[in-house]
Amino acid sequence: MRLLPRAEAAVRRGHPWIFAESIKSQNREGDAGELVVLYDRRDRFLAAGWYDPDSPIRVRVVCAGEPATIDRAWWLGRAREAAALREPVFSSGETTGARCVNGESDGFPGLVADRYADTLVVKLYSAVWLGRWAEIEGVLREVFEPEHLVLRFSRNLREAAGAAGLKEGFRGAEGEEMVVFRENGLRFEAEVLRGQKTGFFLDQRDNRSRVEALAAGRKVLNLFSFSGGFSAYAARGGARRIVDVDISAHALASARRNLALNPELGGVPHDGVKADVFEWLEQSRDVFDLVVCDPPSLAKRDRDRDGALSAYRRLNAAALARLAPGGRLVSASCSAHIPTDPFFTLVRGEAARSGRGFRELWTSGHAADHPATFPEASYLKAICLEVD
């Protein structure tokens, strides 16, 4: 296979995706998961990857620059590198839940693996893994040594997985559907079979710690609170009252259970409000000393970007209006199609338009267990402002 010049240059820079429209020529059609060798314009080895005829990402690169033997030993090496990167996260024993494999950024394109205590949840996002699942399962078991392993698929992959004879759920020994794990000493539950993503939003661990450091003596509003991760950290940080707002009764119930899992947090008054966050913000006149705004992705595709930016403006303007003097806003975005700098500029702009003075306390990106080695993988960003 050969690529158009721009795509060839992107692969040389380390980009792991080759889109169908970037292919200049190929000698035949391939099957899902078939190994493709790519050559540059001078017929030199460029890269090798897995072919997927049914995806816009036609090839997912697994090695580039120098040829390699892509076998079990290769995958063991990649998995051990990923495990070594996470060693500082797990070393203290205070955290037993974190990401172990982060897709392309760890050399496993279209695959993520999250550990929750003794359970490893593997989620596949590409059909290229279906035909080699037995080999990869063995690799993951050898390196991460889970007592239980759960296999899950993205929605668009379920039909193909069934055709390949694979089912979602525990592989081998059955474990608990609700797994309790620790994060920085706090206990949380992960719904490993049916919960969103792999059962919990592990990517906000560092930002939750930052919120804990801001919370002492403050009345806290947690918007899009989901399972209450930010709320538990705020309670440990000394918040005097916490209000969760989420449209899902299931999520609010999970938040209550997570707080109950940590009796050492004491009796911090905690209210769960089932409501659409945008509507609730428009109707509420209550004020808070700390507002955390962490919505789900508002831009699923590039064409959603303008609408998402408009929604982020509306959301942050309303959140700022709920802040008491000296209040702090922590605003996050997990939309990969909203770049970091425009998002930060948007939040700063809404603070300026509010007519209140403000100071920027910090910005953040990905935690160490969620490395992002190419632009499309860099989705998470957060900013903290203090307003007069």
Side-chain angles (χ1 to χ4, degrees):
M1 179 181 288
R2 287 172 174 80
L3 307 178
L4 295 173
R6 180 178 293 182
E8 183 179 313
V11 171
R12 289 191 187 283
R13 292 193 301 269
H15 203 288
W17 292 348
I18 296 169
F19 292 92
E21 60 269 22
S22 299
I23 298 172
K24 182 179 181 181
S25 64
Q26 63 187 81
N27 61 352
R28 64 175 174 83
E29 183 58 274
D31 298 322
E34 190 171 355
L35 182 66
V36 177
V37 178
L38 299 106
Y39 297 93
D40 67 14
R41 68 194 76 181
R42 296 181 181 178
D43 289 333
R44 298 172 301 187
F45 177 85
L46 177 66
W50 304 134
Y51 190 75
D52 188 348
D54 300 317
S55 171
I57 304 173
R58 197 56 49 90
V59 179
R60 294 177 184 263
V61 174
V62 293
C63 77
E66 296 293 333
T69 301
I70 311 300
D71 56 10
R72 191 176 191 277
W74 165 270
W75 293 115
L76 275 171
R78 289 296 179 96
R80 286 169 179 150
E81 289 173 7
L85 180 67
R86 278 75 180 181
E87 188 174 349
V89 177
F90 291 113
S91 60
S92 71
E94 290 295 291
T95 293
T96 61
R99 176 147 295 181
C100 294
V101 177
N102 195 39
E104 284 83 346
S105 296
D106 281 311
F108 287 79
L111 179 153
V112 300
D114 291 341
R115 176 182 286 281
Y116 300 103
D118 60 1
T119 300
L120 188 71
V121 183
V122 183
K123 190 162 185 178
L124 305 184
Y125 291 89
S126 172
V128 303
W129 294 106
L130 299 179
R132 57 178 53 84
W133 169 248
E135 178 181 67
I136 295 303
E137 178 180 354
V139 166
L140 296 175
R141 286 187 182 278
E142 180 172 339
V143 173
F144 297 106
E145 301 181 329
E147 185 174 337
H148 304 286
L149 190 146
V150 173
L151 177 61
R152 296 181 61 175
F153 310 111
S154 61
R155 187 177 293 107
N156 66 309
L157 202 60
R158 287 172 185 163
E159 184 176 343
L166 292 173
K167 298 188 300 182
E168 289 193 310
F170 285 100
R171 304 279 298 178
E174 295 274 333
E176 298 294 328
E177 181 173 350
M178 201 72 77
V179 177
V180 176
F181 67 98
R182 293 192 304 280
E183 185 182 270
N184 293 324
L186 288 169
R187 289 171 290 279
F188 295 100
E189 62 180 28
E191 195 173 354
V192 296
L193 292 182
R194 298 179 182 83
Q196 291 194 43
K197 301 297 184 181
T198 62
F200 193 81
F201 289 98
L202 294 166
D203 53 0
Q204 288 282 24
R205 181 184 66 252
D206 288 356
N207 287 331
R208 287 190 277 265
S209 289
R210 293 182 177 100
V211 164
E212 178 179 2
L214 298 171
R218 292 181 179 265
K219 181 180 172 184
V220 178
L221 173 63
N222 187 4
L223 300 171
F224 307 96
S225 55
F226 193 57
S227 53
F230 282 108
S231 298
Y233 275 81
R236 189 168 68 175
R240 60 184 173 87
R241 183 190 170 200
I242 300 168
V243 176
D244 287 348
V245 183
D246 199 286
I247 200 167
S248 167
H250 179 78
L252 292 168
S254 177
R256 288 192 294 271
R257 291 193 299 272
N258 280 328
L259 285 173
L261 283 171
N262 296 278
E264 69 276 11
L265 298 181
V268 179
H270 172 252
D271 300 312
V273 179
K274 182 181 180 301
D276 176 277
V277 169
F278 288 90
E279 293 177 1
W280 186 87
L281 283 170
E282 290 176 357
Q283 296 166 5
S284 174
R285 293 296 174 265
D286 205 354
V287 293
F288 297 83
D289 307 299
L290 174 60
V291 175
V292 179
C293 184
D294 180 29
S297 178
L298 299 179
K300 301 291 187 183
R301 307 167 189 83
D302 260 349
R303 65 174 179 265
D304 299 333
R305 185 177 299 178
D306 289 346
L309 288 170
S310 177
Y312 279 121
R313 289 190 188 95
R314 176 184 166 198
L315 184 59
N316 281 278
L320 285 158
R322 300 275 66 78
L323 280 175
R328 293 163 177 175
L329 170 67
V330 175
S331 184
S333 167
C334 63
S335 298
H337 298 285
I338 304 296
T340 297
D341 288 343
F343 177 72
F344 290 162
T345 298
L346 180 153
V347 178
R348 295 173 188 128
E350 292 309 310
R353 268 186 284 277
S354 74
R356 303 165 73 175
F358 70 94
R359 289 155 296 286
E360 187 172 311
L361 301 185
W362 48 259
T363 60
S364 68
H366 284 242
D369 61 331
H370 285 70
T373 59
F374 63 107
E376 290 86 346
S378 184
Y379 66 93
L380 185 64
K381 71 284 293 183
I383 184 171
C384 178
L385 304 180
E386 183 177 69
V387 300
D388 293 337

